[in-house]
Amino acid sequence: VSFWDCGEYIASAYKLQVGHPPGAPFFMLLGRLFTIFASEASDAAKMVNSMSALASAFTILFLFWTITHLAKKIFSAENDKGNLLAVIGAGVVGALAFTFSDTFWFSAEEGEVYALSSLFTAFVFYAILKWENVADEKHANRWIILITFLMGISIGVHLLNLLAIPAIIFVYYFRKYKITRKGIFGAALLSVILLGTFNYIIIPGIVKVASGFELMFVNTLGLPFNTGNFIFILVLAALLAWGLHRTHKLKKVTLNTLLLGLTVVIIGYSSYTMLMIRSAANPPMDENDPETVFSLYHYLKREQYGQHPLITGPYYNAPITESEQPYTYVRKGDKYVKSYSLNPDYEYDEQFTTFFPRMYSRQSDHVQEYKKWANIEGRQVTVTNRRGEEETRNVPTFGENLKFFFKYQVGHMYLRYFMWNFAGRQNDIQGQGGPLNGNWLSGIKPLDEARLGNQDNLPEKYSNNKARNTYYMLPLILGLIGFFFHYKKHPKDFTVVLLLFLFTGLAIVVYLNQTPLQPRERDYAYAGSFYAFSIWIGLGVLGMYNFFKNKAPKVFSALLAILLTLVLVPANMAKENWDDHDRSNRYIAHDFAYNYLNSCAPNAILFTHGDNDTFPLWYAQEVEGIRTDVRVVNLSLLNTDWYINQMKRKAYESEPVPFSMEYSQYKQGTRDQVPMLNKVKNFVNVKQVVDFVASDNQQTQLSSYGDQKINYIPTKKFKLNVDSAKVVDRGIVKPENADKIVDKIRWQVNRDNLTKNELMMLDLLANFNWERPVYFVSPSDETNLGLSDYLQLEGFAYRLVPIKTEAEDRVDVGRVDSEIMYQNLMEEFKYGNMQDPDVYMDYTSRRTSNVIRIRNKFARLAHKLIDEGKNQKAIETLDRTMELTPHSQLPYGMWVLEILNEYYRADATEKANALAEEFAGYTKNELNYYFSLNQPFANAVSREQRMGLHIIQRLSQITKKYGQEELSKEYENYLNTKISSMRGTGGGFR
């Protein structure tokens, strides 16, 4: 890593801080220094990874120092070469084991907060051990002050570092006090109190008090905005300064140390002010808009992620008895006015609440997963519903609640990750509990087959997955040797490491209270726990040395223990993990963001709907300046008032989004969800609908609970006027297609209500007047308000056009402009080297929506070209997609059937037959494996069986349709054989 490349990168990285807290001022200063010395601008993505790598390197260094420090307390290294070698070897093996562990290595590659968070955890743990060495010396408390300062800074990076507090408290207790049962209990209680103080008092409390000052000085005293903030800062600084001076004068050492620690925590924590300063500048990316202490408070509470109960709370089917909408304050004129915050507070029927609630999500797919993991039988409870009728509901028992906790939250979402890192990993495909994906795998065949079924003749997509890493449980065994050796030789230090292990592992499991079907694997959350276990891996070298030294000379024993463990543990982990952590030459996220933006005409509005298809676009625009004329509108964020405000401002070269509604009409708590009624049967102009729903006239509202009035939409049928001359003049429709333009776009929304983001889409349609092209990243009705019949595919995005093309299914919606799309897909777009066999296409890359659908995009283009009589161009298009998406990089799936069909339509029969045989071969291999499994594994892969049989059936149908009778008969015979075997074993095929 070139240090001088860091400057421009860090400057760019700070622009990218859209969703995460800022780093400490020290790192800001470092970034500025690097910028001064940088000779030229660098690739921002490389710089992000460079800083992650730098933080990771220091983390490993602190781990090495920590292990050697603990090892020296077990074996004196002075004047003893054997002991000295063993101590250093323990540090090397433990540090390298963590270096090459799956989770930490992944974190080290990410331009994220996790590597830096690991660094702070390692640093403070090392610092408390350094304090322990000099605790009786003068000025030893400086280490305590350093630790508190680091914790203050770390709050602005990630909260993981706070979980080192219990270990720190016990190091202090063991060093300063005589050990008693009462003392241990007191130290544990103090640990919990300090954790709660940081998490629930210091972090939100300071901002909460500041907001009280701000409200009083602005609203009551009529002073300018931020006056209360500055007064609070001055008062807080004065109180701390007075307290420090007073305790120093009175020689109250302990109290002075506590106050000084609190002071430096607040100084470190003050890095959050950068958020407010940055937000006040109104940059294009400004998530949550935390420019006031009120919005900062809600930002710190992470309200955008929803709420989850911790100590007491409801089960998933608990009836709501009461609800209350909390409020916050926003600026209006020269005062703050009340505005509702995101999440209502609910009260539930007490019959459905429990201590330690684990199954609380009301989302239907989560409920199904609760029932699957906990085998819920429940107990019957009778309640009165909102209609006044009695109904019986099945409430989980507390035992079933705990069953879900241990099986899913502990077993699946922690122990599985733990075993990934120290036993081995099955593959990189996200697992939801079945035997095929995402499990831990040791490489010890009898053990693996007992858990996962037959491991012989695995399909290629599983056996050749680069993340299939087997360590034969050797890191786990060495860690357990270190675990018991440490406990036997130095129980005090063992307790400290154990606390770090538990609080950064199981305690996080309890705190996160995760729901099923997480959008991605969450192993990074437990990196601190794996760090602690790596300490025991290092100390396991001492256990091996201790065994050998009684049978051979010490130096020889030390070298033998080091060499043996080094080869069998970190070296093997490095060998196994190298290929699936190598991101060389993979630019998929970057290039697909480029493709999204360049699918759009100039000055377009592009609707995205999630993080994965939005953040790369933000990066491309903000850092690399790619297509800054395109306004990216994230539909998920469009449910919030602060984001709508931002869309109404100019960004880069993009003019404001033409929304007509004022802030008071879309602020939080207002029109969050609007009912739709069929009072008007005819199609109604969108402009009239928006004017109606935006009106505060009570005649345009419905009575809700009590005397409350709510706005509504009186129709489900909409129409949008079309100026045919303008859409041609603006290039939205080509002149040769002018005869296809409809006078009005008419469509129906088959739902009972619209959410705020959908209402704002209506507002846009009512007011954009065909001045700017509008695009959607997805063809689904959920993301385009039911306008699927008026979309035109031009690349990766779908343009809204006033030409009706009725969709044949939910995927092949809209029309295709073959000229624009051919130029984009075949000439302009970049594909991130996805076809290169040396580039690792990991699961995250493969599951990206446009990677999944890229074959469909090319097939649709080929289909259109064939319809236009351009068979040769269609064949070139199909060849290109097969070149870009070989099975080895992107395993064949349903979209390949479309490619096959278009090859036949283009009269490329030989290529079609070859593809059919290749696809059938892969599918048969998979089916043969699935049918070889015994129960209960056979039931667990029934979905995969049905999918494989469906593919064979479709291959038979397509080949028969195009006169390939021999192939069709072969597939049909194979299909019948497999279906017969299912029936013969009682499996059935539905």
Side-chain angles (χ1 to χ4, degrees):
V1 176
S2 169
F3 245 37
W4 308 129
D5 286 344
C6 295
E8 193 63 30
Y9 150 71
I10 292 179
S12 299
Y14 275 101
K15 296 180 183 179
L16 282 171
Q17 287 175 358
V18 293
H20 297 286
F26 168 76
F27 292 99
M28 294 172 60
L29 176 61
L30 191 64
R32 296 297 174 248
L33 291 174
F34 282 155
T35 304
I36 292 171
F37 289 106
S39 59
E40 58 184 25
S42 68
D43 184 325
K46 288 181 181 178
M47 281 309 310
V48 171
N49 285 344
S50 298
M51 291 306 291
S52 292
L54 193 62
S56 301
F58 278 110
T59 302
I60 296 160
L61 184 61
F62 282 123
L63 176 59
F64 170 79
W65 284 339
T66 297
I67 294 173
T68 54
H69 174 86
L70 294 170
K72 276 193 274 186
K73 294 170 73 174
I74 297 173
F75 286 130
S76 172
E78 294 179 9
N79 303 319
D80 192 323
K81 291 183 179 179
N83 286 359
L84 179 61
L85 277 173
V87 166
I88 294 174
V92 169
V93 172
L96 289 180
F98 188 57
T99 301
F100 298 119
S101 64
D102 183 75
T103 295
F104 181 70
W105 200 340
F106 181 82
S107 295
E109 298 163 338
E110 289 290 295
E112 265 279 15
V113 299
Y114 307 112
L116 192 56
S117 175
S118 295
L119 170 60
F120 279 112
T121 302
F123 197 173
V124 298
F125 193 70
Y126 168 75
I128 194 60
L129 297 180
K130 289 296 291 182
W131 168 85
E132 184 188 29
N133 274 355
V134 298
D136 296 327
E137 296 179 9
K138 189 177 181 182
H139 304 309
N141 281 358
R142 72 178 98 186
W143 284 101
I144 303 294
I145 303 305
L146 174 63
I147 288 169
T148 54
F149 178 57
L150 291 172
M151 285 193 163
I153 295 175
S154 74
I155 292 170
V157 177
H158 196 273
L159 298 182
L160 173 66
N161 183 246
L162 299 182
L163 296 174
I165 287 176
I168 292 169
I169 294 298
F170 271 85
V171 170
Y172 192 93
Y173 170 70
F174 289 146
R175 186 65 175 81
K176 286 291 190 179
Y177 297 94
K178 182 180 178 180
I179 300 174
T180 63
R181 193 173 294 175
K182 184 178 179 180
I184 289 175
F185 176 79
L189 181 62
L190 180 60
S191 300
V192 174
I193 291 172
L194 280 177
L195 269 174
T197 300
F198 269 95
N199 203 36
Y200 297 108
I201 298 178
I202 292 178
I203 295 175
I206 289 176
V207 178
K208 184 70 172 175
V209 174
S211 65
F213 271 73
E214 177 72 357
L215 192 64
M216 180 182 70
F217 278 90
V218 174
N219 279 21
T220 305
L221 302 180
L223 295 175
F225 290 124
N226 292 319
T227 302
N229 296 336
F230 291 121
I231 297 295
F232 170 74
I233 292 170
L234 292 174
V235 169
L236 181 61
L239 288 174
L240 289 171
W242 177 83
L244 289 170
H245 174 74
R246 188 69 177 167
T247 52
H248 179 73
K249 186 175 181 180
L250 298 175
K251 301 188 184 302
K252 302 288 185 180
V253 177
T254 303
L255 188 56
N256 181 266
T257 303
L258 288 173
L259 272 177
L260 187 56
L262 176 62
T263 302
V264 296
V265 163
I266 293 172
I267 291 173
Y269 177 46
S270 68
S271 63
Y272 269 104
T273 57
M274 192 186 83
L275 275 179
M276 297 179 65
I277 294 169
R278 179 184 181 279
S279 182
N282 291 326
M285 292 179 297
D286 187 15
E287 285 207 63
N288 293 284
D289 194 28
E291 63 182 69
T292 70
V293 283
F294 304 101
S295 54
L296 179 63
Y297 175 72
H298 294 284
Y299 173 90
L300 293 173
K301 290 179 69 178
R302 296 164 58 86
E303 287 189 351
Q304 70 270 34
Y305 297 108
Q307 299 172 325
H308 58 267
L310 190 58
I311 299 174
T312 62
Y315 285 117
Y316 53 81
N317 58 352
I320 298 173
T321 55
E322 290 185 32
S323 66
E324 181 181 353
Q325 190 80 33
Y327 61 85
T328 184
Y329 288 91
V330 297
R331 291 176 177 174
K332 186 174 182 181
D334 58 356
K335 300 287 184 184
Y336 290 105
V337 297
K338 286 184 179 180
S339 174
Y340 289 105
S341 58
L342 283 176
N343 301 311
D345 291 329
Y346 295 110
E347 290 188 15
Y348 300 89
D349 189 321
E350 291 185 357
Q351 298 178 92
F352 294 80
T353 59
T354 183
F355 169 73
F356 195 62
R358 299 287 103 183
M359 298 186 289
Y360 58 90
S361 172
R362 308 170 80 87
Q363 196 171 307
S364 59
D365 54 348
H366 290 172
V367 173
Q368 292 304 314
E369 289 295 306
Y370 289 143
K371 293 176 180 178
K372 181 186 82 172
W373 284 96
N375 299 318
I376 295 174
E377 295 181 1
R379 54 189 174 84
Q380 302 295 316
V381 175
T382 302
V383 296
T384 302
N385 61 30
R386 290 187 176 184
R387 297 186 298 273
E389 303 166 343
E390 285 195 351
E391 65 178 47
T392 300
R393 297 190 184 184
N394 201 41
V395 185
T397 64
F398 187 68
E400 290 165 344
N401 181 61
L402 290 181
K403 190 174 184 179
F404 175 77
F405 169 66
F406 285 112
K407 283 186 67 177
Y408 179 78
Q409 293 185 333
V410 175
H412 189 71
M413 296 301 290
Y414 173 69
L415 292 179
R416 179 171 62 104
Y417 298 143
F418 177 82
M419 297 297 279
W420 272 10
N421 284 274
F422 304 115
R425 185 176 180 181
Q426 184 183 34
N427 51 51
D428 67 351
I429 306 170
Q430 185 172 355
Q432 301 294 351
L436 294 176
N437 300 322
N439 299 290
W440 65 269
L441 183 82
S442 67
I444 303 170
K445 189 174 179 181
L447 177 61
D448 295 332
E449 290 191 340
R451 297 171 39 256
L452 304 173
N454 177 25
Q455 295 299 296
D456 294 326
N457 302 315
L458 282 168
E460 184 180 339
K461 67 180 180 182
Y462 301 122
S463 61
N464 288 347
N465 189 288
K466 290 185 178 181
R468 188 177 178 85
N469 304 322
T470 53
Y471 316 141
Y472 305 98
M473 302 185 77
L474 294 174
L476 176 65
I477 293 169
L478 185 60
L480 291 175
I481 291 171
F483 178 93
F484 291 110
F485 181 76
H486 199 200
Y487 172 74
K488 181 179 178 181
K489 292 292 185 179
H490 213 293
K492 291 181 181 178
D493 284 353
F494 168 81
T495 302
V496 170
V497 178
L498 179 65
L499 285 169
L500 181 64
F501 177 72
L502 292 176
F503 271 86
T504 53
L506 290 178
I508 292 181
V509 172
V510 172
Y511 177 75
L512 292 178
N513 198 1
Q514 288 173 328
T515 58
L517 303 177
Q518 290 289 307
R520 55 188 166 276
E521 300 285 16
R522 302 295 194 182
D523 56 302
Y524 55 82
Y526 309 106
S529 184
F530 308 149
Y531 175 92
F533 191 79
S534 296
I535 293 175
W536 286 322
I537 289 179
L539 297 180
V541 178
L542 292 192
M544 299 286 288
Y545 166 66
N546 193 56
F547 175 78
F548 291 142
K549 75 172 185 174
N550 297 322
K551 299 172 176 58
K554 284 187 175 181
V555 172
F556 176 79
S557 297
L559 290 173
L560 179 61
I562 294 168
L563 183 63
L564 194 63
T565 55
L566 193 64
V567 171
L568 293 179
V569 178
N572 183 50
M573 293 170 71
K575 176 185 75 71
E576 291 290 306
N577 288 355
W578 193 280
D579 55 357
D580 53 297
H581 290 81
D582 181 0
R583 299 186 179 190
S584 301
N585 299 316
R586 190 175 77 204
Y587 295 99
I588 293 167
H590 174 279
D591 287 359
F592 276 47
Y594 173 92
N595 296 344
Y596 268 129
L597 293 170
N598 283 287
S599 294
C600 301
N603 200 32
I605 296 171
L606 174 62
F607 284 104
T608 62
H609 58 81
D611 293 355
N612 290 344
D613 58 13
T614 303
F615 289 174
L617 274 63
W618 282 349
Y619 164 82
Q621 290 187 320
E622 176 72 12
V623 179
E624 300 197 8
I626 298 172
R627 289 302 306 274
T628 52
D629 61 302
V630 176
R631 174 57 66 95
V632 176
V633 182
N634 184 302
L635 284 172
S636 299
L637 298 180
L638 203 62
N639 274 314
T640 62
D641 51 11
W642 56 264
Y643 187 70
I644 298 170
N645 289 342
Q646 292 173 18
M647 292 299 99
K648 295 173 74 172
R649 297 197 297 256
K650 183 172 181 175
Y652 314 116
E653 281 73 50
S654 169
E655 294 301 317
V657 178
F659 293 137
S660 65
M661 283 197 272
E662 299 296 327
Y663 175 76
S664 61
Q665 297 168 321
Y666 60 76
K667 69 180 181 181
Q668 225 60 47
T670 304
R671 298 174 178 84
D672 291 339
Q673 197 170 70
V674 182
M676 299 177 68
L677 305 179
N678 269 323
K679 287 191 172 185
V680 181
K681 302 299 182 182
N682 297 326
F683 287 91
V684 182
N685 188 282
V686 174
K687 179 66 174 172
Q688 291 177 287
V689 172
V690 171
D691 290 343
F692 183 89
V693 77
S695 172
D696 291 324
N697 188 325
Q698 290 194 358
Q699 292 182 342
T700 66
Q701 297 174 336
L702 294 172
S703 295
S704 182
Y705 302 110
D707 295 329
Q708 184 182 0
K709 295 283 189 177
I710 60 170
N711 294 91
Y712 75 102
I713 296 174
T715 184
K716 294 185 179 182
K717 295 181 177 181
F718 306 99
K719 64 182 179 182
L720 174 64
N721 292 334
V722 178
D723 184 335
S724 57
K726 179 180 282 189
V727 296
V728 172
D729 182 62
R730 296 284 180 180
I732 294 171
V733 175
K734 291 180 177 178
E736 58 266 32
N737 293 324
D739 60 323
K740 299 182 179 70
I741 298 174
V742 296
D743 61 336
K744 290 179 175 59
I745 289 179
R746 294 177 174 87
W747 80 103
Q748 184 169 338
V749 178
N750 296 314
R751 269 177 280 161
D752 294 328
N753 56 68
L754 289 185
T755 53
K756 181 175 290 181
N757 58 356
E758 294 167 328
L759 180 61
M760 298 312 297
M761 287 176 66
L762 273 185
D763 190 5
L764 168 70
L765 294 172
N767 293 283
F768 82 127
N769 295 322
W770 299 100
E771 296 287 341
R772 299 169 67 175
V774 173
Y775 288 81
F776 302 89
V777 300
S778 170
S780 66
D781 287 346
E782 289 78 10
T783 53
N784 60 45
L785 204 61
L787 288 163
S788 299
D789 289 347
Y790 297 94
L791 297 182
Q792 177 171 288
L793 183 59
E794 299 178 354
F796 277 11
Y798 296 78
R799 189 202 291 237
L800 177 67
V801 294
I803 300 175
K804 186 170 185 178
T805 310
E806 293 189 4
E808 296 180 4
D809 55 52
R810 296 182 72 246
V811 177
D812 293 341
V813 303
R815 65 195 305 273
V816 173
D817 187 310
S818 62
E819 181 182 355
I820 298 175
M821 195 169 180
Y822 186 89
Q823 181 179 358
N824 281 334
L825 292 184
M826 299 291 286
E827 299 172 9
E828 300 294 334
F829 283 3
K830 306 174 184 179
Y831 297 97
N833 298 322
M834 61 186 293
Q835 76 279 12
D836 187 341
D838 295 327
V839 170
Y840 176 43
M841 282 284 291
D842 67 341
Y843 176 68
T844 303
S845 300
R846 297 194 304 271
R847 69 182 286 198
T848 302
S849 59
N850 262 312
V851 174
I852 293 173
R853 291 185 172 87
I854 190 168
R855 290 175 178 136
N856 169 259
K857 296 285 196 300
F858 275 91
R860 292 203 64 193
L861 172 59
H863 187 94
K864 181 66 173 178
L865 290 169
I866 294 168
D867 287 347
E868 295 171 347
K870 302 173 183 176
N871 283 19
Q872 186 56 42
K873 291 185 76 172
I875 293 170
E876 292 171 5
T877 300
L878 297 170
D879 289 345
R880 177 61 171 157
T881 187
M882 297 312 298
E883 173 194 339
L884 288 171
T885 62
H887 175 77
S888 58
Q889 293 293 89
L890 189 65
Y892 287 169
M894 293 296 294
W895 302 122
V896 175
L897 295 172
E898 297 185 28
I899 301 293
L900 177 67
N901 190 74
E902 299 309 323
Y903 265 130
Y904 280 125
R905 289 185 70 234
D907 295 326
T909 304
E910 288 187 11
K911 291 184 177 183
N913 287 343
L915 178 58
E917 292 187 58
E918 184 185 15
F919 193 12
Y922 289 130
T923 307
K924 288 178 182 179
N925 287 339
E926 292 179 20
L927 282 169
N928 291 340
Y929 173 73
Y930 300 146
F931 279 93
S932 74
L933 294 174
N934 298 320
Q935 297 296 353
F937 307 111
N939 281 342
V941 299
S942 60
R943 180 180 178 276
E944 285 77 10
Q945 287 179 341
R946 291 193 298 271
M947 178 59 72
L949 292 172
H950 176 70
I951 288 172
I952 296 294
Q953 183 183 43
R954 292 282 292 116
L955 286 171
S956 176
Q957 292 169 344
I958 293 171
T959 50
K960 184 175 183 178
K961 177 181 177 181
Y962 293 100
Q964 309 304 305
E965 296 290 342
E966 186 177 341
L967 279 179
S968 177
K969 193 65 177 176
E970 176 191 336
Y971 303 148
E972 184 179 352
N973 290 339
Y974 179 86
L975 180 69
N976 291 335
T977 301
K978 289 303 178 185
I979 292 176
S980 297
S981 69
M982 289 183 75
R983 289 170 178 162
T985 57
F989 178 64
R990 296 184 298 275

